[in-house]
Amino acid sequence: MSRAPIGFELQEEGNRGDPALINVTQINVNYPGYPPPNNQTDLSRFEIEVAPGGSDPHLYPSVSEKSPAPIGFEGQVQDELKENGEDNSVTVNMDSPQDNSKDTASLLAEETMMINEKATLFFRDGKKKIDYVLAYEPGDNEDVKKQQRRKTFEKNLIEEGLELEHEGKESSKNGKTCFTKVHIPWETLTRYAELLNVKMPLAENDMETQLESCFENCWKMFPSPFELDEDVLPTETNYFTAPFNRSRMDQYIGVEYKKGEGQFVIKDKDTFFTNAQRSKICYEILSRAHFTEMDEEEDRVNKKFGVRKLVDNQTYNAAYPLHDGRYHSDHSLLTVGKDSDRHLLYELWARPGMWYKYQPLDQIRSYFGEKIGIYFTWLGYYTTMLIPAAVTGLIAFIYGLATIMDDVPSSEICDNATIGNYTMCPMCDQRCSYWRLSDSCMYSRATYLFDNHATVAFAIVMALWASFFHEFWKRKQAEIEYEWDVADFEDGEETVRPEYEAGVKRRRTNPVTNRDEPYVPQWSKCFRYFTSFSVLVFFLALVLAAVFSVILYRIVMSAILYGNSESLIKTRASFISSISAACINLVIILILNQFYQRVAYVLTEMEQHRTLTEWEDAFTFKMFLFQFVNFYSSIFYIAFFKGKFVGRPGDYNRSLLDKRQEECDPSGCLIELCIQLGIVMVGKQIINNVKEILIPKLMVWFRSRQSLKETSEEKVYSRWEQDYNLASMPALGLFDEYLEMVIQYGFVTIFVAAFPLAPLFALINNIIEIRVDAYKFTTQWKRPLAERAQDIGIWFGILRGISAIAVISNAAIIAFTSEFIPKLVYQYGYSPDQTLSGYTQFSLSNFKVQYFARESVPDDKKMDIFGNVTQCRFRGYFEEDSSNPGQYDFTMAFWHILAAKLAFVVIFENLVVFCTWLVMYLVPDMPYKVKLQMLRENFLSKEALFNAETIQKQRERSASNN
């Protein structure tokens, strides 16, 4: 008796009457290497070798030499066809380059390899899809406990309704990995789909075109180079959806009524649920199955369940859903079409040449799930919003560059022989000597690039930009929530975490669902949160200690460099210490990041959160607090503390370890702040991008090199083994991706007054980041679990918090760090001609060196250069008290400037707050068309419920009559 057919094209003779299998060529196929020669594989060691109801395990496809290539993989040579007495026409793909040097054997080998590889997306019967794969490397002396865990775990999976099929290590290319393939049959699939409230299409959306505005219709008439080609990516039909219910199966899209059978049937059970939905449902079963033989109470205490635990303890090396094929193809996508969804995503999204195109968001969501789809939606939206910000910042920078030579204060320092020749007080104790004001010429020129009138206007624009960013994202998010059926995910669809179910002993009836669920009492939550908070504060203090050490480094290094005999080093002491301190700070940030991630994970686990969303929000909040202090503390120090509490010559502040604090250059600290920002922000982006590209590639190369050494044609390089050799998505999922972007958002908004080019660098980075992430997800990582999510989670609240801090921060930077306010006060209050001529002299004070403290007197006074110095100048607004020699007090100009600074902060903040409120009032959170479509969908859901009851009654009456 002939074997059952496999693959996409095959059938038995007895099946020819099946209309689904008409006009399909039959060919003889077998998987190479199955069974292994001479019975090399001891199949008896697998107690559950074949899926229940499965077919012969020794079937894997390979095209025989005499049989023609199957439909869809044409290209055979005419001579072979003539020998078989068939039509001698040859089907050739004219859209891909043909290699004339290839002989018949090589062409046939390539086609055979593709067929074999595609067949490994199914069980051996060629019909059952592989929904999940469990991989393990047993080794010669494997722990017996691991074997027992796998045996118990797989037995429980079968009891839950899953079907399994095993592949021994003899069939793998590397010769050491075993695979367990998991298939979820239809009955189990529909049962869990109903339990998980999976949304399924109910009716075609008949309101979408009606609600399109005139502007949208006009806009579509103009071709755009950023749009994806509709011939390659046709517009998908939008549907109204409803939660899946087996009793209303006949009302969903994809179901038809057969008069002959008198019932509703699924048109195609294999495509009714998407591959992403199937793998998600399968994972829900895998994550709750037990792997030890113990009673329920003991299992709950020891948490002996779930595939994640088995992967963590190396019982399985990996657990993953399969990619649906190769990501590359020799055929033209435009004329031949896609080989698979993965191939389509690579060509339209992950390929570097598509960097300027819009993202295929619906396809991303369909392939990777809503959670990853929402991330790329938000990243694309953020990148788009950065374009006007980057253009405005570039204009502000160009303005500073164009007017740099017209700046009076810097010109006085650089070009005025009198002012530039001022003798300045030493910058540190003893080791530093006197110096000329003209030495800071380069600093003053560079400072003006980022400290001019355009910078102030840009800071106001960016504060308003942040408000528009949040409000328009809320609208975009509302559209995504509706279109992707996740609007009520957190309230109605999200399930309890398996770890929560197993770890919580107390149970009570949920007042909403009336179901018995685990419960953590309020007093226990308070105790856990208090413990977590205490540990959090301790480690935040540790971060501040690391920042404090960098500050000490800056102080000591500046003193050493200022005391250097080389004039080149001495004049650039502050510049060198700033750059080196920023680099050291970046290294400390990256090291501490890894440590704090583990601490935050342990604390979040201890808090026992009910759902995955709650767990992720709590973990995210802790990690962001760490990172906020980690990344921004040194920048806040330069922006708001450095040079503000130094004191004055003769009375320096030595409260910090009895050391004199750092001073700013006479032109201010803004350029140092800019240097720190540039190194930390750009350096972090470069390191992250290199890490995201190189590390996955190296991991894939390292893991696949053993498989690639095997050149035997007897073994298929199966889809599951190719995916096994790919890198795994990090355990924390998208956390690192979001964190990277949110930290960047902080640089773009909180300190934008000091670095107007930040949005431009962020824009360039994000354009690269989107394609790097796309390439990583599509080609270098195993296919991640298609998880659902309603929104970007707590990240939205964090972004709003950053924006609120940014308003205060930018107001303070302009007022207290830049020279904008002092220049205005001088120009309109003290200048005789209302210009900045004389401002440099106005901002400096005189000090008589006879009043220096003993530890401040320079060791080398450089008499040959400065002569006998009787007084020096320093940055500040002081004058000597005539009635008390040696006592210096603030001048009236200091109090005028301070009052102007405080007034500016108040006006700036109130102006931005009012504009933010106005934007929130004018821009509704949800578009009007989304509201209407939601009402329409609710109406159809209710109507479907009534129809289901009517149909049920009709069936009951029909049954009673018969």
Side-chain angles (χ1 to χ4, degrees):
M1 182 175 179
S2 61
R3 289 187 178 129
I6 64 172
F8 325 98
E9 309 85 359
L10 314 179
Q11 57 178 341
E12 291 183 355
E13 292 292 331
N15 288 336
R16 287 187 176 177
D18 189 342
L21 298 173
I22 292 177
N23 297 327
V24 183
T25 304
Q26 178 180 350
I27 61 174
N28 179 31
V29 291
N30 290 286
Y31 274 143
Y34 286 84
N38 302 324
N39 296 322
Q40 294 175 4
T41 306
D42 183 11
L43 299 178
S44 63
R45 65 189 179 92
F46 296 117
E47 296 188 14
I48 42 179
E49 175 64 21
V50 184
S55 58
D56 192 335
H58 301 152
L59 271 168
Y60 276 114
S62 113
V63 180
S64 65
E65 294 182 359
K66 294 184 179 180
S67 60
I71 295 173
F73 301 95
E74 298 84 0
Q76 58 267 34
V77 179
Q78 296 180 11
D79 293 337
E80 291 186 341
L81 296 174
K82 289 179 180 178
E83 290 176 4
N84 296 330
E86 300 179 19
D87 183 11
N88 63 351
S89 61
V90 181
T91 304
V92 181
N93 177 21
M94 301 304 294
D95 299 287
S96 60
Q98 303 297 318
D99 187 357
N100 296 325
S101 64
K102 290 184 179 180
D103 56 13
T104 305
S106 62
L107 286 172
L108 188 60
E110 288 182 5
E111 293 168 2
T112 303
M113 181 175 63
M114 290 181 65
I115 300 169
N116 293 342
E117 187 181 310
K118 287 198 172 188
T120 57
L121 292 169
F122 298 84
F123 273 23
R124 296 188 188 99
D125 62 3
K127 299 176 182 178
K128 296 174 183 175
K129 285 185 177 180
I130 299 175
D131 297 310
Y132 230 86
V133 174
L134 308 175
Y136 59 96
E137 298 178 5
D140 297 329
N141 300 313
E142 188 186 23
D143 188 358
V144 178
K145 288 184 178 180
K146 291 185 178 180
Q147 297 179 13
Q148 188 61 38
R149 286 173 190 157
R150 284 197 295 267
K151 180 179 177 181
T152 305
F153 183 69
E154 293 175 6
K155 182 188 73 174
N156 290 331
L157 291 181
I158 292 178
E159 290 177 357
E160 283 293 326
L162 298 182
E163 297 182 7
L164 309 180
E165 192 173 74
H166 293 271
E167 299 295 341
K169 60 184 178 181
E170 295 81 4
S171 64
S172 63
K173 280 277 191 177
N174 63 14
K176 61 180 181 180
T177 309
C178 300
F179 298 93
T180 300
K181 300 171 289 183
V182 183
H183 169 76
I184 180 167
W186 177 254
E187 292 75 15
T188 308
L189 187 62
T190 53
R191 176 161 54 92
Y192 273 89
E194 185 172 345
L195 290 173
L196 297 173
N197 288 324
V198 175
K199 294 287 190 71
M200 297 304 294
L202 188 65
E204 188 172 339
N205 190 336
D206 54 0
M207 299 180 65
E208 197 170 30
T209 55
Q210 300 174 18
L211 296 174
E212 288 184 353
S213 65
C214 179
F215 174 76
E216 290 174 335
N217 290 325
C218 293
W219 182 258
K220 289 180 180 179
M221 296 173 62
F222 295 96
S224 171
F226 309 110
E227 295 283 352
L228 293 168
D229 191 346
E230 291 187 0
D231 294 332
V232 177
L233 190 71
T235 304
E236 293 189 353
T237 306
N238 193 9
Y239 294 101
F240 293 117
T241 61
F244 180 79
N245 191 305
R246 285 176 290 178
S247 64
R248 305 205 306 268
M249 192 102 71
D250 52 294
Q251 297 176 336
Y252 298 107
I253 299 295
V255 180
E256 63 181 356
Y257 183 77
K258 287 196 173 183
K259 294 182 179 180
E261 300 179 17
Q263 61 180 354
F264 290 92
V265 296
I266 304 294
K267 291 180 182 177
D268 188 351
K269 291 182 179 181
D270 290 335
T271 59
F272 186 74
F273 294 99
T274 65
N275 290 340
Q277 289 173 328
R278 294 176 65 97
S279 64
K280 173 60 178 173
I281 294 172
C282 188
Y283 179 78
E284 290 292 334
I285 302 174
L286 293 173
S287 65
R288 286 170 168 76
H290 305 287
F291 54 81
T292 55
E293 299 288 354
M294 55 175 58
D295 59 45
E296 185 178 352
E297 186 62 31
E298 185 181 0
D299 192 37
R300 185 180 295 115
V301 173
N302 295 305
K303 301 182 181 179
K304 303 294 185 181
F305 68 95
V307 69
R308 184 173 175 179
K309 281 278 184 183
L310 292 175
V311 173
D312 289 342
N313 62 31
Q314 291 296 292
T315 301
Y316 290 109
N317 293 85
Y320 52 93
L322 290 180
H323 284 292
D324 63 354
R326 296 184 179 186
Y327 67 85
H328 57 83
S329 173
D330 294 333
H331 303 296
S332 168
L333 181 65
L334 184 61
T335 55
V336 178
K338 64 178 182 179
D339 282 351
S340 62
D341 289 336
R342 187 188 186 194
H343 172 225
L344 180 70
L345 285 174
Y346 175 77
E347 291 293 336
L348 297 183
W349 180 49
R351 197 160 51 86
M354 306 298 288
W355 65 269
Y356 63 96
K357 294 284 188 180
Y358 292 138
Q359 300 182 85
L361 296 174
D362 288 329
Q363 283 68 31
I364 296 170
R365 171 249 184 165
S366 177
Y367 193 81
F368 292 111
E370 285 79 6
K371 192 175 218 176
I372 293 175
I374 288 174
Y375 163 71
F376 280 105
T377 303
W378 177 82
L379 181 57
Y381 168 82
Y382 172 42
T383 304
T384 303
M385 289 291 288
L386 278 174
I387 294 175
V391 172
T392 309
L394 184 62
I395 291 173
F397 178 76
I398 292 174
Y399 171 83
L401 197 64
T403 59
I404 189 171
M405 301 310 295
D406 299 329
D407 179 49
V408 176
S410 61
S411 297
E412 288 179 340
I413 294 174
C414 296
D415 303 330
N416 192 305
T418 303
I419 296 177
N421 204 39
Y422 282 162
T423 301
M424 305 298 294
C425 297
M427 297 290 288
C428 63
D429 291 337
Q430 295 179 337
R431 294 177 61 87
C432 299
S433 184
Y434 303 109
W435 56 286
R436 299 294 186 195
L437 180 59
S438 58
D439 292 343
S440 69
C441 172
M442 182 184 70
Y443 250 59
S444 62
R445 293 288 194 198
T447 298
Y448 178 76
L449 288 175
F450 304 100
D451 186 5
N452 51 65
H453 292 79
T455 303
V456 179
F458 179 59
I460 297 174
V461 168
M462 285 303 296
L464 297 177
W465 173 88
S467 300
F468 280 100
F469 176 83
H470 297 311
E471 293 308 311
F472 283 103
W473 168 247
K474 284 194 291 187
R475 289 173 59 85
K476 180 67 174 178
Q477 185 171 268
E479 293 181 19
I480 290 296
E481 287 179 3
Y482 170 73
E483 290 178 5
W484 292 356
D485 301 314
V486 292
D488 54 355
F489 170 73
E490 293 179 8
D491 296 331
E493 294 184 49
E494 190 168 22
T495 57
V496 177
R497 290 173 62 232
E499 295 83 359
Y500 180 83
E501 285 183 307
V504 178
K505 298 180 181 180
R506 292 180 178 82
R507 304 182 77 83
R508 74 167 187 178
T509 302
N510 188 320
V512 177
T513 62
N514 268 344
R515 296 176 182 172
D516 190 44
E517 290 185 358
Y519 168 71
V520 179
Q522 201 66 34
W523 64 267
S524 179
K525 287 183 180 179
C526 293
F527 176 75
R528 293 171 186 275
Y529 288 156
F530 177 76
T531 304
S532 180
F533 175 77
S534 302
V535 176
L536 194 66
V537 170
F538 170 76
F539 282 104
L540 287 176
L542 196 61
V543 177
L544 293 176
V547 175
F548 180 74
S549 65
V550 175
I551 294 173
L552 284 181
Y553 166 83
R554 294 171 64 99
I555 294 173
V556 174
M557 182 57 65
S558 295
I560 293 174
L561 294 176
Y562 275 120
N564 194 284
S565 58
E566 293 289 335
S567 60
L568 183 65
I569 296 177
K570 183 176 64 176
T571 56
R572 291 167 174 78
S574 181
F575 185 77
I576 295 172
S577 62
S578 296
I579 291 180
S580 58
C583 293
I584 293 173
N585 186 56
L586 178 61
V587 173
I588 292 175
I589 286 170
L590 297 175
I591 293 174
L592 290 180
N593 179 36
Q594 301 301 317
F595 174 70
Y596 292 132
Q597 189 166 296
R598 293 181 174 86
V599 174
Y601 182 87
V602 172
L603 293 177
T604 309
E605 281 291 306
M606 181 192 68
E607 292 170 355
Q608 291 186 328
H609 294 281
R610 181 176 178 273
T611 65
L612 182 61
T613 299
E614 292 175 0
W615 188 96
E616 289 180 343
D617 288 350
F619 177 80
T620 298
F621 180 72
K622 294 180 186 63
M623 274 303 296
F624 179 75
L625 277 182
F626 283 139
Q627 298 292 2
F628 186 88
V629 178
N630 208 8
F631 276 97
Y632 299 143
S633 51
S634 61
I635 301 175
F636 270 104
Y637 162 72
I638 297 174
F640 304 119
F641 297 100
K642 182 180 178 181
K644 304 299 187 296
F645 308 101
V646 166
R648 59 170 179 81
D651 186 23
Y652 286 116
N653 182 0
R654 302 180 186 276
S655 59
L656 187 63
L657 298 179
D658 200 31
K659 297 287 185 181
R660 176 177 163 184
Q661 295 186 23
E662 285 186 285
E663 290 186 50
C664 291
D665 188 85
S667 57
C669 283
L670 198 66
I671 188 62
E672 291 187 47
L673 178 60
C674 181
I675 292 171
Q676 182 81 8
L677 274 168
I679 290 178
V680 174
M681 176 183 174
V682 179
K684 178 180 177 294
Q685 291 177 350
I686 292 174
I687 291 173
N688 283 340
N689 283 328
V690 170
K691 182 178 69 175
E692 289 180 3
I693 295 173
L694 288 183
I695 291 181
K697 272 192 168 296
L698 290 174
M699 290 179 65
V700 171
W701 172 82
F702 179 78
R703 297 189 64 175
S704 62
R705 77 188 197 285
Q706 186 66 36
S707 300
L708 296 176
K709 288 180 181 178
E710 176 61 59
T711 58
S712 172
E713 296 182 2
E714 294 297 318
K715 293 182 180 180
V716 179
Y717 193 21
S718 59
R719 179 77 267 149
W720 55 75
E721 187 172 3
Q722 290 184 50
D723 285 6
Y724 174 69
N725 290 330
L726 296 176
S728 298
M729 184 178 179
L732 296 176
L734 294 169
F735 170 78
D736 289 330
E737 310 296 337
Y738 273 117
L739 181 64
E740 180 184 353
M741 291 296 104
V742 171
I743 292 294
Q744 181 202 88
Y745 180 84
F747 287 128
V748 168
T749 54
I750 297 178
F751 307 104
V752 73
F755 192 34
L757 291 179
L760 178 62
F761 284 113
L763 175 63
I764 296 172
N765 173 80
N766 288 7
I767 292 173
I768 299 172
E769 180 75 19
I770 289 175
R771 304 305 159 178
V772 167
D773 284 349
Y775 182 81
K776 191 170 54 179
F777 272 95
T778 309
T779 69
Q780 301 302 305
W781 280 359
K782 295 180 178 69
R783 186 173 183 173
L785 181 66
E787 293 184 295
R788 287 170 66 79
Q790 183 170 332
D791 47 39
I792 64 174
I794 198 174
W795 292 113
F796 183 73
I798 290 174
L799 290 170
R800 299 203 69 162
I802 289 176
S803 298
I805 295 172
V807 175
I808 303 172
S809 173
N810 284 305
I813 288 175
I814 294 171
F816 296 99
T817 306
S818 76
E819 294 293 299
F820 177 72
I821 300 298
K823 287 179 179 179
L824 282 182
V825 172
Y826 172 76
Q827 184 174 357
Y828 296 106
Y830 289 88
S831 174
D833 54 359
Q834 292 193 344
T835 65
L836 289 176
S837 180
Y839 171 76
T840 305
Q841 187 172 359
F842 169 77
S843 63
L844 299 176
S845 299
N846 286 323
F847 176 75
K848 295 179 180 178
V849 298
Q850 67 189 66
Y851 299 120
F852 263 134
R854 182 176 56 83
E855 60 269 23
S856 298
V857 177
D859 294 336
D860 182 9
K861 298 181 180 180
K862 297 188 177 180
M863 301 283 290
D864 55 331
I865 299 176
F866 299 98
N868 184 22
V869 178
T870 58
Q871 65 177 16
C872 60
R873 296 176 185 267
F874 65 98
R875 188 170 183 263
Y877 301 92
F878 292 89
E879 62 181 359
E880 187 179 8
D881 187 352
S882 57
S883 61
N884 188 6
Q887 178 64 37
Y888 287 80
D889 299 320
F890 288 116
T891 63
M892 187 57 66
F894 170 82
W895 299 108
H896 288 163
I897 292 172
L898 180 61
K901 289 179 176 180
L902 295 175
F904 174 82
V905 171
V906 172
I907 294 172
F908 184 92
E909 289 184 6
N910 281 279
L911 176 64
V912 172
V913 167
F914 172 76
C915 293
T916 301
W917 171 84
L918 189 62
V919 171
M920 293 174 63
Y921 177 77
L922 295 176
V923 180
D925 292 347
M926 183 180 292
Y928 177 68
K929 68 176 183 179
V930 173
K931 285 184 179 180
L932 288 180
Q933 291 181 91
M934 291 179 70
L935 292 173
R936 172 70 172 163
E937 184 173 85
N938 291 334
F939 169 77
L940 290 175
S941 297
K942 293 178 182 178
E943 193 176 55
L945 181 61
F946 295 144
N947 291 339
E949 293 179 356
T950 303
I951 293 172
Q952 182 64 27
K953 290 179 181 178
Q954 290 175 352
R955 288 175 179 172
E956 291 175 356
R957 285 196 298 267
S958 177
S960 62
N961 293 334
N962 294 333

